[in-house]
Amino acid sequence: QARLARWPDAVCPKVLAAGPPPPVGGTRLPMRQLLLPVLCHAASWRSQVGSLEKSASQLLAEAVEATEVAAAQPGPGTSAIGSVLLVIGLFVIAALIYYYVKGEPELGTASGTKMRDVIEARIDNKNDAGTSPHFAHGLFGCFDNMGICLLSFCCTGIRWADTARLAGWLTFWVAIAVMCIVELGSLFGFLGFVIFISVGTYFRQQAREDFGIRSGGITVAEDCLSYTCCPCCAVAQEAQQYEDAWAVEHDVARRADVFIRTGAPVA
C-alpha cells in the first residue's frame, strides 16, 4: 500500500515529461502503456485540486481570525471619544485646583497711587470722540504679565473662564462648561475650532463694549482673526484688561463684583 501511495510521485514526472507514446504502424500498444499517462494526469489534477482546497481553507481561516481581532479592538470613534473625555476630565480637575488656589477676585489690589494712575490711564486711553481706540495691552503684549501669559498658553480655557467671571459675563463654572462643550465639538473635526472662534469673538466684542473700545463692523473680523491665528494672545490680552480693571476698582469691575456676589446680571 505504501508503494501504491507513492507511485504517482515516483512514476508520473517521468511519464508526463516523455509525453504520449508514438503510434507504431498498426501495432496495438499494451493497455498499461495507454492507461499510464491518463492515470498520471488524473493524479496530477487531484494534487492540484487538493492544493487549491488547502489554500482556500487557509484563506478562510485567516479571514475569520482577522475579523475576530478587528472585533476585539476598539474602533477609531471609540478611541477618539475616550481621548476627549480624558482631556475634559483633566481640564476640570485643573480648573478645580485653579479656582481654589486663586480664590475669589478682590477689588483695589493695585499698590500705591502711582501704580493706580498708570493702570487707569492705560485703561482709559480715550480719543477726542470719547472712545478707546484699542485695549490697554497690545495683542502681543503677553509678557506684560508673565503669570497671565503662562496660564493663557498652557490652560487657555481656564484663563478664559476666569476672565468671563471677572467681566461678569458668566460664572466661572458655567464658563468651564462652555469650554468643555467646545472640546466635545472636536469630535466632529473642525466644528470644535469654529465654536471656539465664535464664542471668543462674541465675548471679545462684549469686552470692547464694556470699556468703550470701538466695536462692530471691521472689528468683528479683527477679533475673529485674533482668535483664529493667536487665540492664546487674545485670551491673555482680555485677561490683562479685566485684571487691571479689578486692580483699580473700575466701574466694569464693580458691576462684575455685584454679579459674582449676588448672581444678578450685569447691567
Side-chain angles (χ1 to χ4, degrees):
Q1 291 181 352
R3 291 181 60 188
L4 185 61
R6 290 195 302 267
W7 78 266
D9 296 333
V11 177
C12 287
K14 299 178 181 178
V15 174
L16 295 176
V24 182
T27 307
R28 297 181 61 183
L29 295 174
M31 185 62 67
R32 176 176 178 276
Q33 194 172 355
L34 290 173
L35 292 178
L36 189 58
V38 176
L39 294 175
C40 286
H41 279 293
S44 176
W45 292 338
R46 181 179 179 183
S47 176
Q48 292 176 7
V49 170
S51 299
L52 289 175
E53 290 178 349
K54 184 178 180 181
S55 299
S57 300
Q58 289 177 345
L59 290 174
L60 181 60
E62 291 174 359
V64 171
E65 183 180 359
T67 303
E68 292 175 350
V69 171
Q73 293 178 347
T78 305
S79 178
I81 293 173
S83 299
V84 170
L85 292 178
L86 176 62
V87 170
I88 290 176
L90 294 175
F91 174 70
V92 172
I93 292 173
L96 189 65
I97 294 171
Y98 174 83
Y99 182 81
Y100 284 103
V101 168
K102 183 176 182 181
E104 295 294 334
E106 297 181 3
L107 290 168
T109 56
S111 58
T113 305
K114 185 177 181 179
M115 178 61 70
R116 290 178 64 91
D117 292 342
V118 170
I119 295 175
E120 287 176 351
R122 193 162 53 196
I123 293 176
D124 297 325
N125 55 93
K126 299 189 183 302
N127 54 24
D128 295 338
T131 60
S132 300
H134 50 72
F135 287 90
H137 299 264
L139 182 61
F140 299 106
C142 310
F143 299 111
D144 294 347
N145 187 316
M146 286 303 300
I148 291 177
C149 176
L150 290 174
L151 187 60
S152 298
F153 277 82
C154 298
C155 300
T156 307
I158 293 176
R159 180 57 260 186
W160 182 87
D162 196 19
T163 301
R165 172 176 65 162
L166 295 178
W169 300 331
L170 304 166
T171 65
F172 180 79
W173 291 109
V174 170
I176 288 294
V178 170
M179 289 294 101
C180 290
I181 293 172
V182 169
E183 182 62 30
L184 285 173
S186 65
L187 289 172
F188 303 95
F190 196 64
L191 179 61
F193 191 54
V194 171
I195 296 174
F196 177 69
I197 293 172
S198 301
V199 170
T201 301
Y202 173 79
F203 284 106
R204 191 170 172 84
Q205 286 288 304
Q206 295 295 310
R208 288 177 178 274
E209 294 178 7
D210 285 347
F211 292 96
I213 305 171
R214 61 188 181 89
S215 60
I218 191 64
T219 65
V220 176
E222 292 175 1
D223 293 346
C224 184
L225 285 174
S226 296
Y227 266 91
T228 301
C229 303
C230 310
C232 298
C233 294
V235 169
Q237 185 185 36
E238 296 163 15
Q240 291 182 96
Q241 185 84 17
Y242 283 98
E243 292 284 359
D244 285 353
W246 276 76
V248 298
E249 300 181 70
H250 193 279
D251 290 341
V252 171
R254 289 181 181 276
R255 294 197 302 268
D257 184 54
V258 173
F259 170 74
I260 292 173
R261 299 188 187 283
T262 66
V266 178

